[in-house]
Each structure stands twice: as structure tokens, then as C-alpha cells.
């Protein structure tokens, strides 16, 4: 019952399975104890009825009082146990699942995040786990425990009087068949509601992220309308889902309760024909109330269980996604980066084909080419942010696809266009470059990256908080923080996306000075945008439509008649802004 498939279906950890088993066990015990209470009631009734009908002596109350007390004590103990295993343990499980999900996400290749966006993943870690938590704590143990206890009680009833037992119990399987029959509809509704919910989160995230652009272009009304429509649709799908579920759950509950009517009808006719006495019917009627009670709770939750399987599916999809694995050690012979016949596709669209070039240690290799030609992709692949589909990339003779990405990245510094800053001080943002760096080291790197000049103007210097994603800083300042991080890390390979087109001349010189300090002696792969960098590079790789079109030193390439590089430089020198 609680095998591997069950574990996957509800995304349970091994501990979760153990908890569910315990929860089921204690639910069985609780249900049987409660049924025992009904037995005491039956005994009392039959003794007192005998006084009225057969003129027997009044029984001693003390026996019953003791029985009731024993029942109460047992009931409290078993309920407490059930509570502890079904609710108490589940919170630990939730924490374990969230942490293991986060750990898993950390190991997934970046390509995965293109398939499932941030709102979607957040929804899984928070929403889906919440939904599952409710199922783990409120449903699984209760439902499976009730299956077992009802089966036990049903067998006893069948032995006692099979006709009455069938009259009592026929509704239970029929109700479940009805609910299981509606499972497909419930799931489909749930999938639609979920997709609509993700759309709403996406819409809110998009609006917040682009709030400045939206205001600047006076598009508030349009954005709000789109968002409103998404929310309305989500509400509609939720209502429709609830309505469908409600209809089936209530119909199932009513059918189950029809058992009371059939028991009374069958019981009365059996009494009239003299096959049973009134007390037997009374016992069955008592039992019936207890049989339905746990199912009533379970029925209300069963729809949630079906829906939770979708959440579990989304969770399992994260667990099942292929992580980028590899060796935990990386000891290359030097840091030359060699691309050999590299082919790569983000989804199905081939972006790079047969790309081969070498970026030598101690040299600056500039990637040049029109927008969309694959420069950034090459830089990302060089750091194994994605895995390539053809060919190989080697660093110091070692194929990087054999090295654990986290280990590999200790040898890389990346200064990319989109500098990510955290809502912390300037100091701590720089310290991210190397965990555990001392204040002196951080300040030295900051000074070398020309951060002093702007940091000194901030109210608390390097201790100034810089707001979420560094909104208080200019583009050039953000970039210098990013360079300071890289200087602090002092990794042998530097990947640089040099987008300084938006900086003013003074800033550009400052950034340039900081960069030349960073790059000295390293293997540098730069996505070049500026003439100066390209001219100063030791080697240029011209990419065009995902292939290497030209390769060589700037002088060599400039000499090439009809060469792409030569044509681009001529064009760019003629225009005011220099951007390739
Ligand atoms: P460049 O840096 O030269 O402008 P890129 O390497 O960014 O070029 O892009 C090369 C091609 O890959 C483009 O067609 C671009 O649309 C596509 N591309 C880039 N990043 C992604 C991504 N994350 N998912 C899918 N396609 C992408």
C-alpha cells in the first residue's frame, strides 16, 4: 500500500512514508477505540432494556462508570498519539522537503530555469508544498486508517448479520466509486486553476519589475487591465473547480448516508419476521454513525488529495530534472580554454555550430559579432552554466563537463551586464566575491576597482545599504562593485561582458582602469562592445550566426580584404556610439 509509487504520488520523503504509516496505524486504533465506546453504550442499553422488558434487576452502575472512564483514558491517549504523528511530525517533513528542493534547484543547470520561470518555481516551493502539507497531515493517515478500520468493522458486522451489514455498508464503496470516477475532472480543473494562478503571479511580478517603464510610457491602465483579466479568470477557474468538487463530494456523502435508511428498512423487516431483535438493529445503527464519521472527513479531503497529486507531480519534476554532476576536484594544467567543435541549442533552436577556438592564459580573447550571433552563449558555456550538446570545452586539458559546476566556478570570475546586487551594504555586496574575506581585503579590492570615489559620497560609506538590487547606484557604480567582487575572488579565468555603452566617459575610464587591474595575467574571455578593448585584445574571435567566421589578432583581421571584422570596424568608427 505504501510502496514507491505511493511515495512518488504524494512526493513523500522516506521519513514522510514512515510518518504516514504511523498516522494510519494510530487512526485505525482511534477508530476501533471509538467503536469500542459504541460497544459500551450498547452493553448499557441492553442491560437497562432487559430491566424494562424482562423485569431483570437494575445493573450496578459502578461497572459502567469504570468502563466509561477506561474508555475515556484510552480515547485521550490514542487521540494524542494520532495527533502527534499526523500533525506534529509533518512540520519537520515540510521543512525537510523545502530545504531539499532548494538544494536541488541550486544544482540544476541554468537551462532548467528557462523552462520553469521564477514565479512557477516559487509557487512550487511555497504553494505546492503547503497543499501537500495539508494532505500529509489531514488526509493520508485518516483516509487509509479509515479504510482499514472500516474493513475490520465490516468483517465483524458481516459475521454477525450479513444482511444488515450489507444494508449498512453498500453506500461506502458506491460513494468512493463516484469520487474516483470524478478524479479526472478534479485533476483537470486543478491543472487549469494552477496554470491560471501562475499567470497571476507572473503578471504581478512582471508589473512590479517593469513599474518604471510602465509609468514612463503611461501604460498603467493597459497593464492593470491585463492583470485584472488574469485575476478574474483565476477566480472563475477556482469557483468552477470548487463547484464540481462540491457536487461530487456532497453526492457521495448523501449516497453513503442512504445506508441509514436501508439499514432501518432491512432491520425492521428482519425484526418483523423474527430473525433479529430490536437490540441488534440498535447496535447496527450505533455502528453506522461511527463508520460514516471518519469517511465524512476523508471525503471532504479526497478531492484535495486528487489535486495534491498535481502538486506532487510538479515537485517530483524538480527532483527528476537532470542535475549537472561532476568531480569535486578540479586541478587543470594551466587555464587555457579550448572550444572544440562545440554545438549548442537552448531548446530546439541550434545557436552554436562547430565552434572551435582557444582562449589562452594570460591573454585577452575578444568575442565579436552581431547581436544574436552567440557571444554571450559562448561565455556562459565556458563556465558550464549550460551543458553543450556537441563537441567539448576543455580548461587546462580537463573537459569541463566532467567537473561539478560549483567546483568549476571557483576558478571563474564573471563580470556580466546584469550585475545582481543584494539588499545589503556596499561592503557585504563586494564580500560576496569571496566568502570569509576580511574587511581589509574587501576594502583593498574596492579601492582597486575604483569604488572609493562613489562609496565615500554615500552617507555611511561602505556601510551604506544599497537598496533592493542596488537601485540607488548608477550603472557604472554597479559594474565597479561587480569588478571589485571579481578582484577579491582573484580567479584565474575572467569572463567579461563589457557593456559600457550606457556609461559616461569619466565612468568608462574608471571602469577601464579597474578592469585592467582585474585582467592582468588571467585567461580573459570578453564579449567586446568597445573599439578600445577589441584593439587591445590579443586575439579576436568573430562569431556570425553561431559559427566562427574569423579568428586572429586585430592586426591580422584588419588586413583581411572583405573580412567581417574589417567591415564592422569601418562601420563602427563611422558612427558615433561604438557598439558591435
Ligand atoms: P549575443 O551575445 O551574440 O547577442 P546570444 O548568445 O545572447 O548572442 O544569443 C544567441 C542566440 O541564442 C539568439 O538567437 C538568442 O535569441 C538565443 N538565446 C540567448 N539566450 C537564450 C535563452 N536563455 N534561451 C533561449 N534562447 C536564447
Amino acid at each position: 500500500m505504501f510502496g514507491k509509487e505511493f511515495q512518488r504520488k504524494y512526493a513523500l520523503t522516506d521519513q514522510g512514508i514512515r510518518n504516514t504509516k504511523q498516522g494510519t496505524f494510530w487512526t485505525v486504533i482511534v477508530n476501533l477505540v471509538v467503536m469500542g465506546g459504541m460497544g459500551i453504550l450498547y452493553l448499557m442499553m441492553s442491560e437497562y432494556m432487559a430491566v424494562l422488558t424482562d423485569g431483570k434487576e437494575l445493573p450496578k452502575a459502578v461497572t459502567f462508570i469504570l468502563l466509561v472512564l477506561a474508555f475515556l483514558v484510552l480515547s485521550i491517549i490514542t487521540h494524542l498519539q494520532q495527533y502527534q504523528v499526523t500533525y506534529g511530525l509533518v512540520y519537520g517533513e515540510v521543512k525537510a522537503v523545502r530545504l531539499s528542493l532548494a538544494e536541488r534547484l541550486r544544482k540544476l543547470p541554468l537551462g532548467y530555469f528557462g523552462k520553469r520561470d521564477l514565479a512557477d518555481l516559487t509557487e512550487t516551493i511555497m504553494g505546492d508544498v503547503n497543499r501537500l502539507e495539508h494532505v500529509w497531515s489531514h488526509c493520508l493517515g485518516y483516509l487509509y486508517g479509515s479504510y482499514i478500520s472500516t474493513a475490520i468493522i465490516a468483517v465483524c458486522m458481516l459475521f454477525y448479520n450479513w444482511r444488515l451489514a450489507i444494508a449498512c455498508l453498500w453506500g461506502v464503496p458506491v460513494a468512493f466509486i463516484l469520487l474516483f470516477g470524478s478524479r479526472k475532472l478534479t485533476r483537470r480543473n486543478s491543472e487549469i486553476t494552477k496554470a491560471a494562478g501562475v499567470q497571476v503571479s507572473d503578471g504581478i511580478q512582471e508589473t512590479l519589475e517593469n513599474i518604471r517603464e510602465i509609468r514612463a510610457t503611461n501604460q498603467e491602465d493597459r497593464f492593470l487591465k491585463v492583470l485584472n483579466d488574469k485575476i478574474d479568470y483565476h477566480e472563475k477557474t477556482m469557483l468552477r473547480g470548487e463547484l464540481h468538487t462540491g457536487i461530487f463530494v456532497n453526492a457521495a456523502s448523501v449516497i453513503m448516508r442512504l445506508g441509514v435508511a436501508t439499514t432501518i428498512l432491512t432491520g425492521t423487516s428482519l425484526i418483523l419476521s423474527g430473525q433479529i431483535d430490536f437490540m441488534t438493529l440498535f447496535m447496527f445503527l450505533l455502528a453506522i454513525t461511527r463508520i460514516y464519521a471518519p469517511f465524512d472527513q476523508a471525503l471532504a479531503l479526497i478531492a484535495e488529495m486528487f489535486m495534491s497529486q498535481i502538486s506532487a507531480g510538479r515537485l517530483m519534476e524538480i527532483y527528476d530534472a537532470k542535475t549537472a554532476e561532476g568531480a569535486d576536484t578540479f586541478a587543470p594544467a594551466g587555464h587555457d580554454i579550448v572550444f572544440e567543435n562545440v554545438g549548442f541549442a537552448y531548446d530546439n533552436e541550434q545557436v552554436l555550430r562547430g565552434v572551435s577556438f582557444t582562449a589562452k592564459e594570460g591573454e585577452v580573447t575578444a568575442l565579436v559579432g552581431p547581436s544574436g550571433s552567440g557571444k554571450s552563449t559562448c561565455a556562459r558555456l565556458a563556465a558550464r552554466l549550460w551543458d553543450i550538446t556537441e563537441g567539448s570545452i576543455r580548461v587546462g586539458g580537463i573537459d569541463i563537463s566532467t567537473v561539478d559546476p560549483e567546483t568549476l566556478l571557483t576558478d571563474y570570475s564573471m563580470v556580466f551586464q546584469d550585475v545582481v546586487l543584494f539588499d545589503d551594504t556596499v561592503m557585504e555586496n563586494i564580500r560576496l566575491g569571496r566568502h570569509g574575506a576580511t574587511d581589509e581585503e574587501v576594502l583593498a579590492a574596492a579601492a582597486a576597482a575604483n569604488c572609493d570615489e562613489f562609496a565615500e559620497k554615500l552617507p555611511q560609506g561602505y556601510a551604506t545599504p544599497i537598496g533592493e538590487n542596488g537601485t540607488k547606484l548608477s550603472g557604472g557604480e554597479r559594474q565597479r562593485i561587480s569588478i571589485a567582487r571579481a578582484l577579491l575572488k582573484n580567479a584565474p579565468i575572467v569572463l567579461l561582458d563589457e557593456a559600457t555603452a550606457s556609461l559616461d566617459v569619466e565612468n568608462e575610464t574608471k571602469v577601464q582602469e579597474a578592469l585592467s587591474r582585474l585582467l592582468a595575467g588571467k585567461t580573459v574571455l570578453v564579449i567586446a562592445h568597445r573599439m578600445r578593448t577589441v584593439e587591445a585584445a590579443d586575439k579576436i574571435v568573430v562569431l556570425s550566426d553561431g559559427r566562427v567566421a574569423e579568428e586572429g589578432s586585430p592586426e591580422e583581421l584588419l588586413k583581411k580584404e572583405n573580412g567581417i571584422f574589417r567591415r564592422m570596424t569601418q562601420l563602427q568608427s563611422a558612427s558615433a556610439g561604438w557598439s558591435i
Side-chain angles (χ1 to χ4, degrees):
M1 186 155 64
F2 298 122
K4 278 274 165 245
E5 203 185 321
F6 180 88
Q7 189 171 358
R8 276 187 69 82
K9 202 151 111 185
Y10 295 107
L12 285 157
T13 59
D14 291 344
Q15 183 59 42
I17 277 283
R18 282 195 287 278
N19 294 351
T20 308
K21 280 183 190 164
Q22 284 186 31
T24 305
F25 174 77
W26 282 106
T27 304
V28 172
I29 301 293
V30 162
N31 288 349
L32 292 180
V33 166
V34 172
M35 201 46 112
M38 293 297 134
I40 299 174
L41 201 59
Y42 169 75
L43 271 180
M44 278 168 71
M45 268 301 276
S46 46
E47 287 287 325
Y48 284 101
M49 284 291 280
V51 177
L52 291 179
T53 52
D54 305 342
K56 276 195 184 166
E57 252 181 61
L58 209 56
K60 283 208 178 79
V62 64
T63 329
F64 290 123
I65 290 171
L66 284 177
L67 269 176
V68 168
L69 278 178
F71 164 73
L72 280 179
V73 171
L74 203 61
S75 182
I76 289 171
I77 292 173
T78 50
H79 270 99
L80 277 179
Q81 269 297 338
Q82 185 199 25
Y83 185 87
Q84 167 62 13
V85 292
T86 50
Y87 296 99
L89 295 178
V90 108
Y91 294 111
E93 171 83 356
V94 168
K95 189 172 147 200
V97 166
R98 287 217 171 102
L99 282 178
S100 76
L101 269 181
E103 179 67 9
R104 188 82 198 169
L105 285 176
R106 202 165 61 90
K107 292 212 166 123
L108 285 177
L110 276 186
Y112 184 81
F113 299 91
K115 276 184 238 142
R116 287 184 67 171
D117 64 30
L118 217 57
D120 190 9
L121 289 171
T122 315
E123 167 61 19
T124 295
I125 294 185
M126 301 313 292
D128 285 329
V129 176
N130 260 353
R131 216 156 292 125
L132 281 167
E133 180 212 312
H134 202 248
V135 168
W136 296 330
S137 60
H138 287 67
C139 305
L140 293 182
Y142 274 108
L143 193 65
Y144 284 86
S146 301
Y147 284 155
I148 296 172
S149 61
T150 307
I152 295 172
I153 295 164
V155 169
C156 298
M157 286 165 96
L158 278 167
F159 272 113
Y160 198 81
N161 188 312
W162 65 270
R163 285 195 197 87
L164 266 185
I166 290 175
C168 261
L169 294 166
W170 68 270
V172 176
V174 175
F176 274 86
I177 288 170
L178 182 71
L179 277 181
F180 276 88
S182 74
R183 190 160 50 164
K184 235 186 184 161
L185 184 68
T186 313
R187 283 224 190 112
R188 219 194 51 217
N189 279 333
S190 175
E191 265 164 24
I192 295 172
T193 311
K194 173 119 280 175
V198 170
Q199 287 277 324
V200 171
S201 326
D202 268 349
I204 293 173
Q205 198 179 336
E206 190 189 24
T207 312
L208 290 176
E209 274 173 7
N210 299 314
I211 196 93
R212 273 192 230 159
E213 286 75 10
I214 295 172
R215 287 229 180 114
T217 49
N218 269 337
Q219 301 222 36
E220 286 111 319
D221 289 344
R222 196 176 67 83
F223 260 79
L224 273 182
K225 178 165 177 350
V226 172
L227 198 57
N228 250 334
D229 290 348
K230 284 181 180 167
I231 293 171
D232 281 349
Y233 178 64
H234 183 218
E235 192 180 313
K236 223 184 268 169
T237 56
M238 271 203 302
L239 282 177
R240 198 173 44 205
E242 296 279 337
L243 184 69
H244 287 167
T245 312
I247 290 173
F248 281 103
V249 167
N250 284 308
S253 183
V254 168
I255 289 175
M256 203 166 68
R257 278 170 199 291
L258 283 180
V260 179
T262 48
T263 309
I264 293 174
L265 285 177
T266 318
T268 325
S269 75
L270 288 175
I271 292 174
L272 288 178
S273 64
Q275 294 181 52
I276 58 167
D277 58 8
F278 170 73
M279 282 315 293
T280 309
L281 175 60
F282 176 71
M283 184 178 76
F284 271 82
L285 286 175
L286 274 181
I288 223 173
T289 56
R290 288 317 311 162
I291 285 188
Y292 295 160
F295 276 125
D296 256 353
Q297 186 175 4
L299 278 183
L301 299 169
I302 204 162
E304 203 177 324
M305 256 173 72
F306 294 153
M307 285 190 249
S308 79
Q309 288 173 11
I310 294 173
S311 293
R314 287 157 50 88
L315 228 79
M316 292 317 288
E317 200 218 59
I318 296 181
Y319 283 122
D320 291 345
K322 209 166 155 264
T323 50
E325 306 281 345
D328 288 337
T329 51
F330 180 52
H335 285 90
D336 285 359
I337 305 175
V338 182
F339 273 59
E340 202 174 293
N341 262 324
V342 171
F344 176 73
Y346 279 106
D347 289 312
N348 296 319
E349 195 193 340
Q350 196 75 15
V351 175
L352 297 182
R353 295 175 196 83
V355 171
S356 299
F357 67 87
T358 301
K360 287 222 173 78
E361 188 165 357
E363 286 190 357
V364 172
T365 304
L367 294 169
V368 176
S371 172
S373 57
K375 304 181 294 289
S376 316
T377 306
C378 276
R380 290 177 196 142
L381 293 180
R384 206 189 168 192
L385 297 186
W386 267 270
D387 271 333
I388 55 175
T389 39
E390 281 163 52
S392 71
I393 300 175
R394 290 192 304 278
V395 170
I398 296 178
D399 188 332
I400 60 168
S401 66
T402 62
V403 184
D404 174 57
E406 240 173 287
T407 310
L408 188 72
L409 284 178
T410 50
D411 275 16
Y412 287 71
S413 286
M414 284 183 249
V415 184
F416 281 171
Q417 246 169 2
D418 37 359
V419 185
V420 178
L421 298 175
F422 293 89
D423 190 6
D424 206 333
T425 60
V426 180
M427 182 91 158
E428 292 313 314
N429 264 291
I430 296 177
R431 210 193 303 269
L432 280 179
R434 179 153 53 88
H435 184 68
T438 62
D439 284 1
E440 287 72 34
E441 287 169 326
V442 174
L443 292 175
N450 282 346
C451 291
D452 283 352
E453 178 222 50
F454 74 85
E456 275 158 18
K457 287 191 199 134
L458 293 171
Q460 295 145 337
Y462 280 104
T464 314
I466 52 176
E468 198 168 330
N469 206 8
T471 35
K472 292 180 193 161
L473 297 176
S474 78
E477 290 163 354
R478 296 159 65 95
Q479 215 153 20
R480 276 182 270 168
I481 290 193
S482 162
I483 294 170
R485 272 183 197 163
L487 277 168
L488 191 62
K489 184 167 179 183
N490 196 25
I493 298 173
V494 180
L495 304 178
L496 178 68
D497 183 350
E498 181 213 46
T500 44
S502 61
L503 306 182
D504 54 49
V505 177
E506 191 194 351
N507 252 331
E508 191 177 315
T509 316
K510 297 248 155 59
V511 171
Q512 197 57 42
E513 282 170 17
L515 273 179
S516 44
R517 282 183 201 129
L518 170 67
L519 305 184
K522 312 272 168 59
T523 308
V524 182
L525 197 58
V526 50
I527 301 166
H529 294 262
R530 294 175 312 152
M531 195 62 180
R532 228 192 308 172
T533 319
V534 179
E535 279 174 348
D538 299 287
K539 180 177 185 173
I540 289 168
V541 176
V542 183
L543 288 172
S544 168
D545 199 17
R547 293 175 196 275
V548 178
E550 288 168 20
E551 191 182 347
S553 68
E555 298 76 35
E556 281 164 12
L557 293 187
L558 280 175
K559 278 189 214 132
K560 241 184 179 177
E561 286 292 328
N562 288 329
I564 300 181
F565 180 68
R566 185 176 149 123
R567 212 170 50 239
M568 284 170 92
T569 33
Q570 282 165 353
L571 270 177
Q572 293 295 342
S573 325
S575 75
W578 211 102
S579 170
I580 295 179

